[in-house]
Amino acid sequence: MEIEKEQLSNELYCQAYEMEAMADLLIRKETERWVSGFADMIVEKEHSSRYNWILKYVKNKRVLDIACGVGKGSYILAKNGEAKEVIGCDLNDRAIKYASIRYKHPKITFVSDDAQKFTNENNFDVIVSFETIEHLPNVDQFLKSIDNLLSSNGLFIVSTPLSSIPHDTNPVNPYHIQEW
């Protein structure tokens, strides 16, 4: 009975989170977080494509998905990419709770932490950072942290939106601090 209550509570939590994502899309016309099935189709396609593109790099690797959002990408890496282990890290506690429920997998651990300050006692073979650095106030600190977390022959895969000017410190997107 307690397990059923917990499952129901988790399902209600996820449905409420998904309704918020749908409201963001329908009312505010924005999709800043990739909640699969509750995001603009272009966002869905772009995010899925990025993760599917890197599957060949993660097989049997220890992977960090930094700023993982709600965890679908981490799940793709663990399940379809056959990563040995995936740590999905995001600053947003609610997104991590959603990820832990919707994208639970034996090879994934979701943690709530700051991408600029995240530490781990073991290095990673692959670190993935999709659509993250444009949100960060201290990109240099973030890159130093990535360097410390990456194994000596590791791979850092990063993407960011392209700006029409070399370094835009006043981007149109209100969630972005800078764009390149």
Side-chain angles (χ1 to χ4, degrees), residues 34 51 54 62-77 85-90 96 109-111 118 124 126-130 132 157:
W34 176 31
Y51 281 98
I54 66 164
R62 186 162 192 268
V63 180
L64 172 62
D65 186 6
I66 197 81
C68 70
V70 298
K72 174 139 187 201
S74 300
Y75 184 80
I76 291 170
L77 298 176
E85 175 187 13
V86 178
I87 305 289
C89 174
D90 198 275
I96 289 298
T109 303
F110 289 109
V111 295
F118 180 77
F124 295 90
V126 178
I127 299 178
V128 178
S129 175
F130 290 149
T132 307
I157 303 171

Side-chain angles (χ1 to χ4, degrees), residues 105-125:
H105 189 280
K107 293 181 181 179
I108 304 174
T109 303
F110 289 109
V111 295
S112 181
D113 207 337
D114 186 331
Q116 298 171 116
K117 299 174 184 174
F118 180 77
T119 60
N120 195 277
E121 59 190 46
N122 299 311
N123 286 349
F124 295 90
D125 303 307

Side-chain angles (χ1 to χ4, degrees), residues 8-179:
L8 179 59
S9 176
N10 286 344
E11 184 59 29
L12 290 172
Y13 178 87
C14 288
Q15 287 183 7
Y17 196 94
E18 292 161 354
M19 291 303 103
E20 287 178 33
M22 185 181 294
D24 285 343
L25 179 63
L26 297 175
I27 297 168
R28 295 177 198 86
K29 307 277 192 256
E30 64 184 32
T31 307
E32 189 58 28
R33 214 171 259 291
W34 176 31
V35 181
S36 187
F38 299 89
D40 185 272
M41 291 303 292
I42 292 170
V43 169
E44 185 84 34
K45 183 179 178 185
E46 287 175 350
H47 283 354
S48 294
S49 295
R50 283 185 199 100
Y51 281 98
N52 287 320
W53 178 75
I54 66 164
L55 292 179
K56 59 189 169 207
Y57 299 106
V58 302
K59 186 172 184 170
N60 297 319
K61 305 285 185 184
R62 186 162 192 268
V63 180
L64 172 62
D65 186 6
I66 197 81
C68 70
V70 298
K72 174 139 187 201
S74 300
Y75 184 80
I76 291 170
L77 298 176
K79 185 173 185 247
N80 302 348
E82 301 177 23
K84 178 170 56 175
E85 175 187 13
V86 178
I87 305 289
C89 174
D90 198 275
L91 182 62
N92 187 295
D93 293 332
R94 293 184 64 231
I96 289 298
K97 180 176 179 179
Y98 180 91
S100 298
I101 298 166
R102 277 289 187 252
Y103 297 109
K104 188 174 185 166
H105 189 280
K107 293 181 181 179
I108 304 174
T109 303
F110 289 109
V111 295
S112 181
D113 207 337
D114 186 331
Q116 298 171 116
K117 299 174 184 174
F118 180 77
T119 60
N120 195 277
E121 59 190 46
N122 299 311
N123 286 349
F124 295 90
D125 303 307
V126 178
I127 299 178
V128 178
S129 175
F130 290 149
E131 311 302 296
T132 307
I133 63 173
E134 66 274 8
H135 297 269
L136 303 176
N138 193 335
V139 174
D140 289 338
Q141 181 182 354
F142 173 67
L143 294 175
K144 285 177 187 172
S145 175
I146 295 297
D147 187 47
N148 289 333
L149 291 164
L150 201 56
S151 64
S152 60
N153 60 347
L155 180 64
F156 177 45
I157 303 171
V158 60
S159 72
T160 188
L162 293 177
S163 176
S164 59
I165 60 176
H167 186 210
D168 186 353
T169 56
N170 192 20
V172 174
N173 187 320
Y175 299 104
H176 295 180
I177 294 171
Q178 57 197 332
E179 293 177 354

